Amino acid sequence: MSPVMNLMMFALGTCISSVISKQFVFINEAKTFSEAQIYCRWFHCDLASIEDAADFSLLQAAVRGITDPGAWIGLKKDWVGWRWSLSDSAFYKEGEAEYRRWKVGQPDNAAGIENCGVVDDVGEFWDYPCFTQNPFICYDGNETVLQRYVFVDQKMNWSDAQTFCRQKHTDLVSIRNQDENQQVRDLVPLGTLVFIGLFKDYFRWSDNSWSSFRSWSVGEPDDSGACVEQRLSDINTWADQNCDESRPFICQDGEKMQILRVNLKSVQNVNDPVMKVSIMKQIQQKLVNLGMPKDAKLQWRVQSDGEIFHPLENDMNSQKITC
């Protein structure tokens, strides 16, 4: 029996581009959210999703001068779970975005209002009300800085702390592993709860991207509905609205990707360059047979040690090799 190897790859579909070439298109036709979603997926890529401030600037430019009250974007209420404020997927290795070190009994959502994360002086996470005033820790990803983690001894609510970190540094701190947990813990004063970038998200983008970027109007979301509009009278804000209402909408053209995991068995060195080319061709042909466009681009996802394949640790046969 040969060892079972783990293959990870990206399959980039027909909507292929870099973030730089991402475009937003205003559609001046009144449709419900579901109708707008179908339209965008048919004629473009999807309803608009916003990855970061640069995307938001492009969105604002696409609707500048338009006088309609509001237009659908691709954000809709759908319980997601706990996630980090810094949403760049390239920042996290596999499993790091899910790192949590909850204190025993946490999260407990006391009184139903604890939607943000804090860390204590022993490095354990608590869920905590977002409106409370706490010090916080920023992360600075600038290559020129010497201090990656910055303790800010000013008391702010979570949203204001997030804005501060994004303006002065990169974002509220993400804690991706035990080593980073220790580094952050060393900054927390004794007996203090400090805001980190962890928050409870109730909204999901139509294209299933996981950006945490939000630009809510004051008092929003207010449970007026499950879908989100870009307010065109105030292009800097969003509001939740009833999904069955009809309004214009904003589509996006740009990057769209899928991640495939495939288990394969081989007695040969599957990390050999020739083998990787052969495997890629076979996978591409199978995907084409299943309906993927022939000009779709495939690329390997390189893991942290530079390899593509690793033996599956949970496979009982992975340690057995026979001729």
Side-chain angles (χ1 to χ4, degrees), residues 60-275:
Q60 291 173 306
V63 298
R64 188 167 290 122
I66 296 172
T67 58
D68 291 271
W72 294 126
I73 58 174
L75 198 59
K76 184 177 181 181
K77 187 174 290 186
D78 179 17
W79 165 242
V80 177
W82 288 92
R83 68 196 319 173
W84 296 104
S85 176
L86 181 53
S87 59
D88 182 3
S89 58
F91 183 68
Y92 304 91
K93 297 177 183 176
E94 186 173 6
E96 287 187 336
E98 290 75 42
Y99 178 85
R100 308 287 185 266
R101 194 188 171 201
W102 294 112
K103 181 180 175 63
V104 174
Q106 297 288 322
D108 62 358
N109 195 26
I113 56 173
E114 297 187 338
N115 297 321
C116 290
V118 294
V119 63
D120 60 23
D121 56 22
V122 296
E124 294 182 327
F125 300 174
W126 303 49
D127 60 345
Y128 215 66
C130 302
F131 57 80
T132 58
Q133 303 286 312
N134 291 78
F136 51 95
I137 296 176
C138 300
Y139 167 77
D140 199 318
N142 192 316
E143 294 182 358
T144 62
V145 301
L146 299 176
Q147 190 173 359
R148 293 290 182 200
Y149 305 108
V150 181
F151 174 72
V152 181
D153 194 15
Q154 300 179 39
K155 291 187 176 182
M156 298 185 186
N157 63 45
W158 189 91
S159 179
D160 288 345
Q162 182 191 51
T163 299
F164 179 97
C165 289
R166 288 177 171 178
Q167 290 177 344
K168 303 292 186 180
H169 303 283
T170 299
D171 211 320
L172 277 166
V173 67
S174 298
I175 302 176
R176 299 174 291 182
N177 51 56
Q178 186 59 38
D179 179 64
E180 291 184 354
N181 183 268
Q182 182 62 52
Q183 295 180 61
V184 169
R185 170 187 173 181
D186 291 342
L187 297 177
V188 179
L190 291 175
T192 304
L193 294 176
V194 175
F195 276 134
I196 54 178
L198 200 61
F199 74 106
K200 193 186 294 183
D201 196 6
Y202 292 95
F203 288 85
R204 183 188 300 275
W205 292 103
S206 178
D207 65 355
N208 289 319
S209 57
W210 65 296
S211 167
S212 62
F213 185 93
R214 304 290 185 266
S215 185
W216 296 112
S217 298
V218 175
E220 297 287 348
D222 63 1
D223 291 327
S224 295
C227 297
V228 177
E229 70 167 1
Q230 170 90 8
R231 286 183 168 171
L232 303 182
S233 57
D234 179 0
I235 62 173
N236 294 311
T237 59
W238 301 347
D240 57 345
Q241 300 290 351
N242 187 327
C243 301
D244 293 329
E245 294 178 2
S246 294
R247 51 180 35 81
F249 51 98
I250 306 166
C251 301
Q252 73 178 29
D253 289 316
E255 62 177 340
K256 185 178 183 181
M257 64 177 60
Q258 293 176 298
I259 300 175
L260 304 180
R261 286 178 192 266
V262 181
N263 293 336
L264 60 91
K265 298 181 180 181
S266 176
V267 295
Q268 302 181 58
N269 177 14
V270 289
N271 280 307
D272 178 81
V274 175
M275 280 292 296

Side-chain angles (χ1 to χ4, degrees), residues 10 16 28 39 127 138 148-149 188 235 256 273 277 297 310 319:
F10 286 131
I16 303 170
N28 193 19
Y39 180 100
D127 60 345
C138 300
R148 293 290 182 200
Y149 305 108
V188 179
I235 62 173
K256 185 178 183 181
V277 170
K297 297 180 181 179
H310 280 161
Q319 303 302 317

Side-chain angles (χ1 to χ4, degrees), residues 15-31:
C15 297
I16 303 170
S17 74
S18 66
V19 174
I20 295 175
S21 61
K22 191 172 186 179
Q23 296 180 345
F24 296 104
V25 182
F26 176 75
I27 308 298
N28 193 19
E29 298 181 25
K31 296 183 182 294

Side-chain angles (χ1 to χ4, degrees), residues 14-56:
T14 53
C15 297
I16 303 170
S17 74
S18 66
V19 174
I20 295 175
S21 61
K22 191 172 186 179
Q23 296 180 345
F24 296 104
V25 182
F26 176 75
I27 308 298
N28 193 19
E29 298 181 25
K31 296 183 182 294
T32 67
F33 183 92
S34 293
E35 291 169 344
Q37 185 182 55
I38 292 170
Y39 180 100
C40 289
R41 288 176 173 177
W42 184 261
F43 293 104
H44 300 276
C45 279
D46 212 316
L47 277 165
S49 64
I50 313 303
E51 175 71 21
D52 50 28
D55 272 4
F56 193 49

